[in-house]
Amino acid sequence: MVCTANDLLEWKDFPKGLRVLLLDEDRDSASEIKLKLEEMEYIVSAFFSEHEALSAILNKNESFHVAVVEVSIQNSDGRYKFLEASKDLPTIMTSKEQCLSTMMKCIALGAVEFLIKPLSKEKLRNIWQHVVHKAFNAGGSATSESLKSVKEFVGSVLEIQLKNIATQNKVCEEPKHAEMVPNDNCDKFPAPSTPQLKQGGRFLDDGDFQDRTSGSPVKESVDVDGETKSVDTTHGNSATQMEVDPTQPTVEIAIKEEDGGCESSKCVVDLLPKHYEVNTVNPGANTKNSKKESDPQNMCGAKGNRKKAKVDWTPDLHKKFVQAVEQLGVDQAIPSRILELMKVEGLTRHNVASHLQKYRMHRRHILPKAEERRWPHLRDSTQRSYYPYKPVMAFPSYLAANHTIAPGQAYPVWGQQTGRPPGFPMWGSPGYPWQPAIETWHWNKPYPGIHADAWGCPVLPPPACPPSTFPQVQGAHGFHSPDSYGNNSCDLHPGEEVIDKLVKEAISKPWLPLPIGLKPPSTDSVLAELSRQGISTVPPPQINGPQQC
DNA sequence: GCTCAAATAT
DNA sequence: TATATTTGAG
C-alpha cells in the first residue's frame, strides 16, 4: 500500500500507527527491532522469510506503510527480488555488514535507505519520513496534484509551527508539532535520512513551492547520525548517479540553507543555471544581510529570517571554476571575471573569491612541495612558486610514455574531480604527490567498501599495530618490513620517499606485478581517461575482478 | 573590487 | 580536530 498525501493529511497522530513490515531472519534481531518500533507506537509485523513477507504484502488485508528489511551476503539475492517485488513500499534495508556493493544494489533497486545494525531507536524513530516522501513523490512523478498536496500539507505544518513560534518562540530548537514531528529534540535525533519534500517541489523563501522541471538528478543532503550524506532519491537509477557525468551540461550548485540553530532542518537546494532563479535567502544579498541574519535573535522563526546560503562546491561546480580560471590564466583570474565565465546563477563574487583563495592557497602551499619532488628538472627560479600546467597522472604514465596518449596533454592537479562524499576533503592529500586530485577522496579517509582507484594510491593497513598484517617484502617490489627500516615496529607506514620510489619503479616496469600496498587504477578509470583523450581502441584490459564484499 | 585572515559552520 | 566556507577589514 502506498500512503497517499491525502492519507497523511487525515492521519491525526502520525506517525503513530505506522504499519511496518519487518523482515529479518535473525529472530533475536527481529524481536529487538520490533520492540523498539512498538515503543514508538508503530504497528509491526515481523516476517522471517521473503516469501512470508511478500505474501503479506500481496494480501489485501495487510497493508504496510514502510518495510524494514535485513540483508546479508547470504540472502542478498532474495532481498533484491523482494525489493523488486515491493517497489511501491518504501523499504529500508538493514545489515550487519557494511558491503558497498550490496548497499548500492539495494539503493539502486529502490531501497530508500540502508542502515547498518545495530539499529538504535533514534535510527528507527524517523522511518516515517520515507512514508511522507513516498506519498508526495509517488513513482518519482510529482503531478500537479501531488504538489498541491505537498503545499497544503507543508502549509498546514508551517501554520501550526508559526503558531508555536508565537507562543513559544523556540520552534527551531524543539519542533512541537506533535502531528508531524516526533517529540524529540531535532538536534538530538537527526533523521537517519530525511527526504526533505523537495523532489517534487522545493521550498521557496516566501513559503511557496516551485516545480522542479529538470530531469537532472536530485540529490539531497541529509543528516545521518550527525554525518551529512548526499542521497539520491530518484528510485531506480541511484547507482548511476553516484558519479558526476562530465558530459552533463547542467552544473548544479547546491546551496545549503540552514535555519538558525536547527541543524536537522537544514536543506540543500539545487540550483540549476538558466532554469532556476536563485531562491535561497536572496543569495546575492547574503553578505549584506549576514550580520542581521547571524544575529541569534533573528535566527529562528518566521520566514525570511533564514541564514545565509552556503555554496556547496560540487565537483561540477568546481570544474566550472577551474575551467574559468584556466581560461583566464591563473595569474589573471580574478573573482569577478571567473564569475562571469562560470555563468552560474546564484553564485556571488564572494563565493568565487573565497574559493579562489583556497585554490591559490592550495597551489602555493601544497603543490610546490609535491611537484618539486616529482618534477625537479622543471624547477625554475623565475617562476612563481607553483607550476600551473604541470602534468599529473590521471592514468598510468607509461601509457603516455609509450605515446598512447598525446604527451602534451596534462591535467592540473586541481582538476575535475568526479565526486566526493560530503565530508571528504576536496583538495587531495598533500602527503602523496603522485596522487591525482581526481578521486583523492576515495582513500584520503577510510571509507569501508570503497577501494582506491587511483594509480599508485597507497593502500595501507590501518595505522594500528598489528605487525602481521603489514605487507611483507615481495621481491624487489615489496615494501620493506618496518624492522628493516627502523626501529618503530609500530610505525607501519613507509616514508614518502619509499613510496615514491616504489611507485616510480612500478611505473617504469609496468609488466611486473604491483607491490603489495599499491593498487592499479581501475580499468574503468583508465578507459574513461583514454576515452576523454579520444582514444577509443585499447587492448583488452586484464580484468581483475572487482573487490568482493 | 581584490586579498587575506578571522570567524563560523560542518 | 580538521576542513570548508563566509565574513569583514584593509
Side-chain angles (χ1 to χ4, degrees), chain A residues 5 22 34 40 57 79 111 199 217 228 262 293 340 487 517 536:
Chain A
L22 177 62
K34 186 167 190 271
M40 292 167 235
I57 291 173
R79 297 303 197 248
Q199 188 166 345
T228 304
C262 184
E293 284 159 5
E340 263 175 43
N487 321 316
S536 53

Side-chain angles (χ1 to χ4, degrees), chain A residues 452-475:
Chain A
D453 277 343
W455 174 257
C457 164
V459 181
L460 297 169
C465 192
S468 60
T469 62
F470 190 80
Q472 297 300 306
V473 176
Q474 190 194 42

Side-chain angles (χ1 to χ4, degrees), chain A residues 4-260:
Chain A
T4 67
N6 285 337
D7 293 337
L8 288 175
L9 286 168
E10 291 163 11
W11 191 328
K12 293 284 182 250
D13 293 324
F14 186 89
K16 289 178 186 173
L18 195 78
R19 285 190 292 276
V20 183
L21 181 152
L22 177 62
L23 170 55
D24 195 332
E25 281 161 6
D26 180 343
R27 288 175 188 253
D28 290 338
S29 166
S31 58
E32 189 188 330
I33 296 171
K34 186 167 190 271
L35 198 67
K36 285 176 180 165
L37 288 167
E38 284 174 344
E39 281 176 27
M40 292 167 235
E41 298 186 57
Y42 295 163
I43 299 165
V44 184
S45 306
F47 301 93
F48 306 107
S49 74
E50 289 126 22
H51 181 71
E52 291 174 27
L54 281 170
S55 305
I57 291 173
L58 294 173
N59 181 350
K60 289 181 182 174
N61 294 325
E62 303 225 39
S63 56
F64 301 98
H65 299 114
V66 63
V68 176
V69 176
E70 174 265 348
V71 61
S72 64
I73 291 169
Q74 287 75 34
N75 67 16
S76 58
D77 284 345
R79 297 303 197 248
Y80 299 149
K81 284 175 192 154
F82 177 89
L83 273 170
E84 284 177 329
S86 62
K87 275 208 181 313
D88 284 342
L89 187 64
T91 301
I92 296 158
M93 305 304 292
T94 72
S95 181
K96 282 183 287 190
E97 301 141 2
Q98 187 147 356
C99 170
L100 188 72
S101 68
T102 305
M103 294 168 84
M104 284 175 72
K105 193 155 184 184
C106 288
I107 297 295
L109 287 170
V112 294
E113 188 171 10
F114 201 110
L115 297 174
I116 301 298
K117 285 184 179 181
L119 299 183
S120 66
K121 251 182 164 181
E122 285 67 45
K123 282 181 183 171
L124 292 167
R125 186 180 302 276
N126 294 316
I127 60 174
W128 58 266
Q129 295 173 59
H130 296 295
V131 180
V132 178
H133 187 249
K134 192 91 176 181
F136 289 105
N137 296 280
S141 59
T143 62
S144 57
E145 194 175 335
S146 68
L147 278 176
K148 194 182 157 198
S149 300
V150 172
K151 248 176 141 172
E152 287 170 2
F153 179 71
V154 180
S156 66
V157 172
L158 284 178
E159 199 177 323
I160 294 167
Q161 283 194 334
L162 285 174
K163 278 181 197 164
N164 286 334
I165 292 166
T167 55
Q168 302 168 26
N169 200 25
K170 51 186 297 194
V171 67
C172 269
E173 282 87 17
E174 292 179 12
K176 295 291 183 187
H177 181 27
E179 291 183 4
M180 274 314 301
V181 184
N183 291 330
D184 303 287
N185 180 300
C186 61
D187 285 335
K188 193 175 175 186
F189 299 125
S193 173
T194 312
Q196 310 249 355
L197 289 182
K198 75 177 190 62
Q199 188 166 345
R202 56 193 170 137
F203 194 52
L204 298 178
D205 228 4
D206 60 3
D208 204 350
F209 281 86
Q210 181 174 341
D211 286 5
R212 178 180 288 278
T213 55
S214 165
S216 297
V218 176
K219 291 175 192 159
E220 295 176 359
S221 185
V222 295
D223 245 353
V224 183
D225 293 336
E227 197 183 337
T228 304
K229 297 184 178 180
S230 198
V231 173
D232 172 45
T233 57
T234 313
H235 301 299
N237 58 354
S238 308
T240 62
Q241 292 168 6
M242 293 186 74
E243 288 195 350
V244 175
D245 179 1
T247 61
Q248 272 283 349
T250 49
V251 173
E252 304 176 1
I253 69 172
I255 294 191
K256 295 171 183 171
E257 285 183 283
E258 294 118 44
D259 279 339

Side-chain angles (χ1 to χ4, degrees), chain A residues 313 321 325 333-335 338 349-365 414 427:
Chain A
W313 283 92
F321 170 87
V325 169
I334 57 171
I338 297 169
R349 199 162 36 75
H350 267 82
N351 299 141
V352 174
S354 162
H355 201 60
L356 181 63
Q357 179 183 10
K358 206 168 62 175
Y359 176 81
R360 286 172 173 162
M361 216 186 294
H362 178 82
R363 299 185 76 117
R364 285 175 190 163
H365 297 302
W414 236 65
W427 313 107

